[in-house]
mmCIF file of all heavy atoms in Angstrom:
data_model
loop_
_atom_site.group_PDB
_atom_site.id
_atom_site.type_symbol
_atom_site.label_atom_id
_atom_site.label_comp_id
_atom_site.label_asym_id
_atom_site.label_seq_id
_atom_site.Cartn_x
_atom_site.Cartn_y
_atom_site.Cartn_z
ATOM 1 N N VAL A 3 112.293 94.153 109.784
ATOM 2 C CA VAL A 3 111.694 94.583 111.105
ATOM 3 C C VAL A 3 110.276 95.065 110.834
ATOM 4 O O VAL A 3 109.260 94.648 111.552
ATOM 5 C CB VAL A 3 112.542 95.749 111.698
ATOM 6 C CG1 VAL A 3 111.707 96.365 112.827
ATOM 7 C CG2 VAL A 3 113.869 95.106 112.177
ATOM 8 N N GLN A 4 109.988 95.938 109.864
ATOM 9 C CA GLN A 4 108.647 96.504 109.627
ATOM 10 C C GLN A 4 107.636 95.545 109.175
ATOM 11 O O GLN A 4 106.602 95.382 109.642
ATOM 12 C CB GLN A 4 108.829 97.691 108.651
ATOM 13 C CG GLN A 4 109.693 98.878 109.172
ATOM 14 C CD GLN A 4 109.078 99.598 110.263
ATOM 15 O OE1 GLN A 4 108.613 99.069 111.246
ATOM 16 N NE2 GLN A 4 109.030 100.977 110.265
ATOM 17 N N ILE A 5 108.099 94.719 108.145
ATOM 18 C CA ILE A 5 107.184 93.746 107.572
ATOM 19 C C ILE A 5 107.075 92.575 108.604
ATOM 20 O O ILE A 5 105.839 92.074 108.821
ATOM 21 C CB ILE A 5 107.615 93.179 106.262
ATOM 22 C CG1 ILE A 5 107.483 94.353 105.134
ATOM 23 C CG2 ILE A 5 106.806 91.961 105.836
ATOM 24 C CD1 ILE A 5 107.890 93.947 103.827
ATOM 25 N N GLY A 6 108.109 92.163 109.158
ATOM 26 C CA GLY A 6 107.980 91.066 110.195
ATOM 27 C C GLY A 6 107.083 91.404 111.340
ATOM 28 O O GLY A 6 106.158 90.618 111.701
ATOM 29 N N ALA A 7 107.273 92.642 111.873
ATOM 30 C CA ALA A 7 106.361 93.068 113.003
ATOM 31 C C ALA A 7 104.933 93.216 112.516
ATOM 32 O O ALA A 7 103.987 92.772 113.289
ATOM 33 C CB ALA A 7 106.787 94.351 113.547
ATOM 34 N N SER A 8 104.677 93.675 111.296
ATOM 35 C CA SER A 8 103.308 93.882 110.887
ATOM 36 C C SER A 8 102.600 92.512 110.646
ATOM 37 O O SER A 8 101.395 92.329 110.904
ATOM 38 C CB SER A 8 103.297 94.650 109.483
ATOM 39 O OG SER A 8 103.858 95.890 109.724
ATOM 40 N N VAL A 9 103.253 91.598 110.110
ATOM 41 C CA VAL A 9 102.838 90.192 109.886
ATOM 42 C C VAL A 9 102.398 89.589 111.277
ATOM 43 O O VAL A 9 101.302 89.052 111.405
ATOM 44 C CB VAL A 9 103.753 89.374 109.166
ATOM 45 C CG1 VAL A 9 103.292 87.849 109.193
ATOM 46 C CG2 VAL A 9 103.938 89.699 107.712
ATOM 47 N N VAL A 10 103.294 89.676 112.141
ATOM 48 C CA VAL A 10 103.046 89.074 113.444
ATOM 49 C C VAL A 10 101.905 89.716 114.162
ATOM 50 O O VAL A 10 101.008 89.044 114.672
ATOM 51 C CB VAL A 10 104.331 89.264 114.382
ATOM 52 C CG1 VAL A 10 104.032 88.917 115.850
ATOM 53 C CG2 VAL A 10 105.378 88.319 113.849
ATOM 54 N N LEU A 11 101.762 91.127 114.115
ATOM 55 C CA LEU A 11 100.700 91.753 114.752
ATOM 56 C C LEU A 11 99.339 91.412 114.103
ATOM 57 O O LEU A 11 98.302 91.301 114.702
ATOM 58 C CB LEU A 11 100.922 93.254 114.725
ATOM 59 C CG LEU A 11 102.033 93.746 115.582
ATOM 60 C CD1 LEU A 11 102.373 95.200 115.357
ATOM 61 C CD2 LEU A 11 101.832 93.468 117.084
ATOM 62 N N ALA A 12 99.333 91.332 112.761
ATOM 63 C CA ALA A 12 98.094 90.992 112.017
ATOM 64 C C ALA A 12 97.739 89.616 112.461
ATOM 65 O O ALA A 12 96.473 89.284 112.580
ATOM 66 C CB ALA A 12 98.310 91.016 110.563
ATOM 67 N N LEU A 13 98.619 88.624 112.666
ATOM 68 C CA LEU A 13 98.347 87.364 112.969
ATOM 69 C C LEU A 13 97.862 87.239 114.494
ATOM 70 O O LEU A 13 96.896 86.462 114.760
ATOM 71 C CB LEU A 13 99.430 86.395 112.801
ATOM 72 C CG LEU A 13 99.856 86.078 111.478
ATOM 73 C CD1 LEU A 13 101.217 85.235 111.470
ATOM 74 C CD2 LEU A 13 98.878 85.342 110.665
ATOM 75 N N LEU A 14 98.290 88.075 115.413
ATOM 76 C CA LEU A 14 97.988 88.001 116.722
ATOM 77 C C LEU A 14 96.587 88.412 116.975
ATOM 78 O O LEU A 14 95.881 88.080 117.858
ATOM 79 C CB LEU A 14 98.944 88.889 117.542
ATOM 80 C CG LEU A 14 100.325 88.446 117.799
ATOM 81 C CD1 LEU A 14 101.174 89.503 118.460
ATOM 82 C CD2 LEU A 14 100.289 87.172 118.592
ATOM 83 N N VAL A 15 96.024 89.317 116.090
ATOM 84 C CA VAL A 15 94.681 89.813 116.297
ATOM 85 C C VAL A 15 93.747 89.367 115.175
ATOM 86 O O VAL A 15 92.711 89.944 114.816
ATOM 87 C CB VAL A 15 94.703 91.406 116.260
ATOM 88 C CG1 VAL A 15 95.350 92.002 117.520
ATOM 89 C CG2 VAL A 15 95.384 91.942 115.017
ATOM 90 N N ARG A 16 94.091 88.253 114.514
ATOM 91 C CA ARG A 16 93.299 87.698 113.480
ATOM 92 C C ARG A 16 91.847 87.424 113.964
ATOM 93 O O ARG A 16 91.680 86.954 114.978
ATOM 94 C CB ARG A 16 93.832 86.414 112.860
ATOM 95 C CG ARG A 16 94.120 85.264 113.753
ATOM 96 C CD ARG A 16 94.952 84.164 113.202
ATOM 97 N NE ARG A 16 95.161 83.097 114.040
ATOM 98 C CZ ARG A 16 96.117 83.001 114.879
ATOM 99 N NH1 ARG A 16 97.006 83.992 115.008
ATOM 100 N NH2 ARG A 16 96.327 81.926 115.679
ATOM 101 N N GLY A 17 90.905 87.881 113.187
ATOM 102 C CA GLY A 17 89.586 87.793 113.527
ATOM 103 C C GLY A 17 89.022 88.861 114.366
ATOM 104 O O GLY A 17 87.760 89.073 114.544
ATOM 105 N N HIS A 18 89.858 89.725 114.889
ATOM 106 C CA HIS A 18 89.457 90.889 115.634
ATOM 107 C C HIS A 18 89.347 92.111 114.706
ATOM 108 O O HIS A 18 89.989 92.214 113.654
ATOM 109 C CB HIS A 18 90.470 91.196 116.742
ATOM 110 C CG HIS A 18 90.011 92.153 117.802
ATOM 111 N ND1 HIS A 18 90.276 93.476 117.659
ATOM 112 C CD2 HIS A 18 89.423 91.912 119.038
ATOM 113 C CE1 HIS A 18 89.816 94.174 118.713
ATOM 114 N NE2 HIS A 18 89.273 93.202 119.592
ATOM 115 N N GLU A 19 88.500 93.079 115.065
ATOM 116 C CA GLU A 19 88.412 94.245 114.286
ATOM 117 C C GLU A 19 89.694 95.101 113.999
ATOM 118 O O GLU A 19 89.850 95.767 113.115
ATOM 119 C CB GLU A 19 87.267 95.159 114.736
ATOM 120 C CG GLU A 19 87.445 95.617 116.227
ATOM 121 C CD GLU A 19 86.754 94.705 117.264
ATOM 122 O OE1 GLU A 19 86.531 93.523 116.838
ATOM 123 O OE2 GLU A 19 86.438 95.144 118.302
ATOM 124 N N THR A 20 90.645 94.930 114.997
ATOM 125 C CA THR A 20 91.847 95.743 115.011
ATOM 126 C C THR A 20 92.700 95.090 113.796
ATOM 127 O O THR A 20 93.641 95.771 113.268
ATOM 128 C CB THR A 20 92.670 95.504 116.261
ATOM 129 O OG1 THR A 20 91.706 95.908 117.262
ATOM 130 C CG2 THR A 20 93.808 96.526 116.291
ATOM 131 N N GLN A 21 92.437 93.931 113.299
ATOM 132 C CA GLN A 21 93.301 93.321 112.291
ATOM 133 C C GLN A 21 93.367 94.137 110.967
ATOM 134 O O GLN A 21 94.413 94.222 110.290
ATOM 135 C CB GLN A 21 92.770 91.798 112.011
ATOM 136 C CG GLN A 21 93.763 91.082 111.011
ATOM 137 C CD GLN A 21 93.167 89.702 110.709
ATOM 138 O OE1 GLN A 21 91.938 89.586 110.814
ATOM 139 N NE2 GLN A 21 94.031 88.840 110.264
ATOM 140 N N ARG A 22 92.218 94.758 110.670
ATOM 141 C CA ARG A 22 92.259 95.563 109.465
ATOM 142 C C ARG A 22 93.269 96.646 109.439
ATOM 143 O O ARG A 22 93.841 96.961 108.443
ATOM 144 C CB ARG A 22 90.809 96.123 109.247
ATOM 145 C CG ARG A 22 89.781 95.085 108.998
ATOM 146 C CD ARG A 22 88.320 95.623 109.154
ATOM 147 N NE ARG A 22 88.133 96.776 108.164
ATOM 148 C CZ ARG A 22 87.780 96.544 106.937
ATOM 149 N NH1 ARG A 22 87.457 95.284 106.459
ATOM 150 N NH2 ARG A 22 87.465 97.548 106.117
ATOM 151 N N ALA A 23 93.482 97.314 110.615
ATOM 152 C CA ALA A 23 94.418 98.348 110.687
ATOM 153 C C ALA A 23 95.848 97.772 110.386
ATOM 154 O O ALA A 23 96.595 98.382 109.711
ATOM 155 C CB ALA A 23 94.391 98.965 112.178
ATOM 156 N N PHE A 24 96.136 96.641 110.918
ATOM 157 C CA PHE A 24 97.527 96.095 110.781
ATOM 158 C C PHE A 24 97.675 95.465 109.325
ATOM 159 O O PHE A 24 98.780 95.521 108.791
ATOM 160 C CB PHE A 24 97.735 95.102 111.833
ATOM 161 C CG PHE A 24 97.967 95.650 113.181
ATOM 162 C CD1 PHE A 24 96.935 95.597 114.071
ATOM 163 C CD2 PHE A 24 99.126 96.411 113.466
ATOM 164 C CE1 PHE A 24 97.077 96.162 115.321
ATOM 165 C CE2 PHE A 24 99.236 96.961 114.750
ATOM 166 C CZ PHE A 24 98.258 96.790 115.622
ATOM 167 N N GLN A 25 96.574 95.156 108.723
ATOM 168 C CA GLN A 25 96.621 94.757 107.331
ATOM 169 C C GLN A 25 96.924 95.904 106.461
ATOM 170 O O GLN A 25 97.802 95.789 105.474
ATOM 171 C CB GLN A 25 95.284 94.108 106.897
ATOM 172 C CG GLN A 25 95.122 92.685 107.483
ATOM 173 C CD GLN A 25 93.686 92.133 107.273
ATOM 174 O OE1 GLN A 25 92.754 92.899 106.972
ATOM 175 N NE2 GLN A 25 93.544 90.877 107.178
ATOM 176 N N ARG A 26 96.407 97.029 106.745
ATOM 177 C CA ARG A 26 96.771 98.245 105.979
ATOM 178 C C ARG A 26 98.222 98.565 106.139
ATOM 179 O O ARG A 26 98.914 98.942 105.192
ATOM 180 C CB ARG A 26 95.876 99.386 106.448
ATOM 181 C CG ARG A 26 94.396 99.267 106.140
ATOM 182 C CD ARG A 26 93.686 100.574 106.464
ATOM 183 N NE ARG A 26 92.203 100.435 106.301
ATOM 184 C CZ ARG A 26 91.399 100.098 107.298
ATOM 185 N NH1 ARG A 26 91.829 99.791 108.503
ATOM 186 N NH2 ARG A 26 90.043 99.934 107.128
ATOM 187 N N ILE A 27 98.682 98.555 107.450
ATOM 188 C CA ILE A 27 100.090 98.819 107.669
ATOM 189 C C ILE A 27 100.989 97.901 106.843
ATOM 190 O O ILE A 27 101.981 98.351 106.281
ATOM 191 C CB ILE A 27 100.396 98.858 109.223
ATOM 192 C CG1 ILE A 27 99.566 99.914 109.868
ATOM 193 C CG2 ILE A 27 101.843 98.941 109.497
ATOM 194 C CD1 ILE A 27 99.658 99.828 111.493
ATOM 195 N N LEU A 28 100.651 96.620 106.881
ATOM 196 C CA LEU A 28 101.408 95.714 106.252
ATOM 197 C C LEU A 28 101.514 95.944 104.710
ATOM 198 O O LEU A 28 102.566 95.784 104.096
ATOM 199 C CB LEU A 28 100.922 94.255 106.494
ATOM 200 C CG LEU A 28 101.595 93.109 105.665
ATOM 201 C CD1 LEU A 28 103.014 93.007 106.044
ATOM 202 C CD2 LEU A 28 100.851 91.751 106.094
ATOM 203 N N PHE A 29 100.388 96.316 104.208
ATOM 204 C CA PHE A 29 100.322 96.554 102.731
ATOM 205 C C PHE A 29 101.311 97.696 102.385
ATOM 206 O O PHE A 29 102.014 97.506 101.371
ATOM 207 C CB PHE A 29 98.855 96.951 102.292
ATOM 208 C CG PHE A 29 98.709 97.448 100.931
ATOM 209 C CD1 PHE A 29 98.698 96.567 99.855
ATOM 210 C CD2 PHE A 29 98.644 98.787 100.597
ATOM 211 C CE1 PHE A 29 98.495 96.978 98.598
ATOM 212 C CE2 PHE A 29 98.603 99.266 99.276
ATOM 213 C CZ PHE A 29 98.446 98.335 98.265
ATOM 214 N N TRP A 30 101.285 98.800 103.090
ATOM 215 C CA TRP A 30 102.137 99.899 102.765
ATOM 216 C C TRP A 30 103.565 99.628 103.012
ATOM 217 O O TRP A 30 104.452 100.197 102.245
ATOM 218 C CB TRP A 30 101.589 101.207 103.426
ATOM 219 C CG TRP A 30 100.377 101.700 102.734
ATOM 220 C CD1 TRP A 30 99.073 101.633 103.124
ATOM 221 C CD2 TRP A 30 100.318 102.335 101.447
ATOM 222 N NE1 TRP A 30 98.200 102.237 102.245
ATOM 223 C CE2 TRP A 30 99.065 102.672 101.222
ATOM 224 C CE3 TRP A 30 101.360 102.706 100.532
ATOM 225 C CZ2 TRP A 30 98.553 103.277 100.015
ATOM 226 C CZ3 TRP A 30 100.910 103.367 99.326
ATOM 227 C CH2 TRP A 30 99.530 103.614 99.098
ATOM 228 N N PHE A 31 103.848 98.882 103.931
ATOM 229 C CA PHE A 31 105.360 98.551 104.196
ATOM 230 C C PHE A 31 105.727 97.585 103.027
ATOM 231 O O PHE A 31 106.895 97.650 102.620
ATOM 232 C CB PHE A 31 105.453 97.844 105.599
ATOM 233 C CG PHE A 31 105.658 98.764 106.688
ATOM 234 C CD1 PHE A 31 104.981 98.566 107.865
ATOM 235 C CD2 PHE A 31 106.419 99.875 106.594
ATOM 236 C CE1 PHE A 31 105.085 99.386 108.963
ATOM 237 C CE2 PHE A 31 106.606 100.784 107.650
ATOM 238 C CZ PHE A 31 105.995 100.565 108.848
ATOM 239 N N ALA A 32 104.887 96.775 102.615
ATOM 240 C CA ALA A 32 105.213 95.855 101.463
ATOM 241 C C ALA A 32 105.483 96.828 100.208
ATOM 242 O O ALA A 32 106.362 96.480 99.354
ATOM 243 C CB ALA A 32 104.171 94.878 101.154
ATOM 244 N N VAL A 33 104.688 97.799 100.006
ATOM 245 C CA VAL A 33 104.864 98.776 98.888
ATOM 246 C C VAL A 33 106.159 99.441 99.007
ATOM 247 O O VAL A 33 106.993 99.516 98.012
ATOM 248 C CB VAL A 33 103.582 99.645 98.843
ATOM 249 C CG1 VAL A 33 103.972 100.793 97.750
ATOM 250 C CG2 VAL A 33 102.347 99.046 98.451
ATOM 251 N N SER A 34 106.480 99.984 100.108
ATOM 252 C CA SER A 34 107.689 100.777 100.291
ATOM 253 C C SER A 34 108.918 99.878 100.251
ATOM 254 O O SER A 34 110.048 100.336 100.081
ATOM 255 C CB SER A 34 107.652 101.542 101.585
ATOM 256 O OG SER A 34 107.717 100.712 102.706
ATOM 257 N N ALA A 35 108.768 98.548 100.603
ATOM 258 C CA ALA A 35 109.899 97.668 100.536
ATOM 259 C C ALA A 35 110.513 97.566 99.184
ATOM 260 O O ALA A 35 111.745 97.337 99.017
ATOM 261 C CB ALA A 35 109.450 96.237 100.936
ATOM 262 N N VAL A 36 109.703 97.776 98.121
ATOM 263 C CA VAL A 36 110.276 97.692 96.767
ATOM 264 C C VAL A 36 111.396 98.778 96.478
ATOM 265 O O VAL A 36 112.499 98.457 96.135
ATOM 266 C CB VAL A 36 109.143 97.831 95.743
ATOM 267 C CG1 VAL A 36 109.709 97.856 94.239
ATOM 268 C CG2 VAL A 36 108.188 96.679 95.887
ATOM 269 N N PRO A 37 111.159 100.102 96.706
ATOM 270 C CA PRO A 37 112.243 101.067 96.611
ATOM 271 C C PRO A 37 113.305 100.925 97.663
ATOM 272 O O PRO A 37 114.460 101.259 97.378
ATOM 273 C CB PRO A 37 111.500 102.404 96.753
ATOM 274 C CG PRO A 37 110.275 102.124 97.377
ATOM 275 C CD PRO A 37 109.804 100.790 96.964
ATOM 276 N N TRP A 38 112.938 100.382 98.882
ATOM 277 C CA TRP A 38 114.048 100.228 99.884
ATOM 278 C C TRP A 38 114.999 99.174 99.293
ATOM 279 O O TRP A 38 116.309 99.420 99.368
ATOM 280 C CB TRP A 38 113.470 99.716 101.180
ATOM 281 C CG TRP A 38 113.038 100.776 102.054
ATOM 282 C CD1 TRP A 38 111.762 101.049 102.586
ATOM 283 C CD2 TRP A 38 113.781 101.779 102.739
ATOM 284 N NE1 TRP A 38 111.699 102.080 103.371
ATOM 285 C CE2 TRP A 38 113.057 102.554 103.565
ATOM 286 C CE3 TRP A 38 115.198 102.072 102.733
ATOM 287 C CZ2 TRP A 38 113.399 103.617 104.315
ATOM 288 C CZ3 TRP A 38 115.607 103.164 103.434
ATOM 289 C CH2 TRP A 38 114.824 103.959 104.211
ATOM 290 N N ILE A 39 114.620 98.028 98.858
ATOM 291 C CA ILE A 39 115.504 96.966 98.390
ATOM 292 C C ILE A 39 116.210 97.319 97.107
ATOM 293 O O ILE A 39 117.329 97.162 96.789
ATOM 294 C CB ILE A 39 114.758 95.609 98.271
ATOM 295 C CG1 ILE A 39 114.208 95.220 99.691
ATOM 296 C CG2 ILE A 39 115.740 94.555 97.743
ATOM 297 C CD1 ILE A 39 115.278 95.055 100.674
ATOM 298 N N ALA A 40 115.397 97.940 96.167
ATOM 299 C CA ALA A 40 115.933 98.400 94.934
ATOM 300 C C ALA A 40 117.034 99.452 95.101
ATOM 301 O O ALA A 40 118.038 99.411 94.457
ATOM 302 C CB ALA A 40 114.822 98.952 94.062
ATOM 303 N N GLY A 41 116.752 100.370 96.134
ATOM 304 C CA GLY A 41 117.782 101.341 96.406
ATOM 305 C C GLY A 41 119.091 100.729 96.939
ATOM 306 O O GLY A 41 120.159 101.190 96.820
ATOM 307 N N ALA A 42 118.892 99.625 97.713
ATOM 308 C CA ALA A 42 120.031 98.991 98.401
ATOM 309 C C ALA A 42 120.932 98.354 97.430
ATOM 310 O O ALA A 42 122.174 98.302 97.634
ATOM 311 C CB ALA A 42 119.474 97.932 99.477
ATOM 312 N N VAL A 43 120.430 97.825 96.321
ATOM 313 C CA VAL A 43 121.300 97.241 95.316
ATOM 314 C C VAL A 43 121.794 98.335 94.255
ATOM 315 O O VAL A 43 122.560 98.032 93.425
ATOM 316 C CB VAL A 43 120.550 96.092 94.632
ATOM 317 C CG1 VAL A 43 120.162 95.050 95.554
ATOM 318 C CG2 VAL A 43 119.291 96.546 93.842
ATOM 319 N N ALA A 44 121.167 99.466 94.308
ATOM 320 C CA ALA A 44 121.662 100.567 93.437
ATOM 321 C C ALA A 44 122.803 101.308 94.171
ATOM 322 O O ALA A 44 123.267 100.947 95.251
ATOM 323 C CB ALA A 44 120.521 101.548 93.106
ATOM 324 N N HIS A 45 123.325 102.384 93.516
ATOM 325 C CA HIS A 45 124.411 103.081 94.105
ATOM 326 C C HIS A 45 124.236 104.644 93.813
ATOM 327 O O HIS A 45 123.514 105.043 92.908
ATOM 328 C CB HIS A 45 125.783 102.723 93.539
ATOM 329 C CG HIS A 45 126.077 101.213 93.740
ATOM 330 N ND1 HIS A 45 126.540 100.644 94.928
ATOM 331 C CD2 HIS A 45 125.862 100.099 92.893
ATOM 332 C CE1 HIS A 45 126.693 99.407 94.825
ATOM 333 N NE2 HIS A 45 126.311 98.994 93.597
ATOM 334 N N GLY A 46 124.896 105.382 94.730
ATOM 335 C CA GLY A 46 125.029 106.804 94.509
ATOM 336 C C GLY A 46 123.634 107.548 94.525
ATOM 337 O O GLY A 46 122.810 107.299 95.432
ATOM 338 N N THR A 47 123.434 108.369 93.539
ATOM 339 C CA THR A 47 122.220 109.171 93.508
ATOM 340 C C THR A 47 121.019 108.328 93.436
ATOM 341 O O THR A 47 119.888 108.633 93.938
ATOM 342 C CB THR A 47 122.296 110.161 92.258
ATOM 343 O OG1 THR A 47 123.450 110.962 92.399
ATOM 344 C CG2 THR A 47 121.072 111.024 92.274
ATOM 345 N N ALA A 48 121.036 107.121 92.675
ATOM 346 C CA ALA A 48 119.912 106.310 92.458
ATOM 347 C C ALA A 48 119.457 105.798 93.925
ATOM 348 O O ALA A 48 118.187 105.715 94.074
ATOM 349 C CB ALA A 48 120.215 105.159 91.546
ATOM 350 N N ARG A 49 120.378 105.372 94.710
ATOM 351 C CA ARG A 49 119.991 104.868 95.947
ATOM 352 C C ARG A 49 119.292 105.951 96.745
ATOM 353 O O ARG A 49 118.327 105.756 97.491
ATOM 354 C CB ARG A 49 121.278 104.409 96.778
ATOM 355 C CG ARG A 49 120.961 103.905 98.219
ATOM 356 C CD ARG A 49 122.139 103.342 98.967
ATOM 357 N NE ARG A 49 122.589 102.126 98.258
ATOM 358 C CZ ARG A 49 123.646 101.415 98.677
ATOM 359 N NH1 ARG A 49 124.376 101.822 99.621
ATOM 360 N NH2 ARG A 49 124.069 100.344 97.952
#
């Protein structure tokens, strides 16, 4: 949901000055996706 929405929004405003804001949002959702998915395959305290 978060990365999909960010990609779509960045594409919708491509070439517009607002695109930079959504590129930043997309970057940080991509960064946080790593511990989200890693935690999903882990268990217990690690998750």
Side-chain angles (χ1 to χ4, degrees):
V3 169
Q4 298 288 49
I5 290 185
S8 301
V9 169
V10 169
L11 294 172
L13 290 176
L14 287 175
V15 294
R16 57 188 180 275
H18 192 272
E19 55 266 25
T20 310
Q21 184 183 23
R22 294 168 59 88
F24 291 103
Q25 288 174 332
R26 294 185 185 92
I27 294 172
L28 175 60
F29 172 82
W30 283 106
F31 277 136
V33 171
S34 68
V36 176
W38 273 118
I39 300 302
V43 298
H45 300 281
T47 304
R49 176 177 298 179

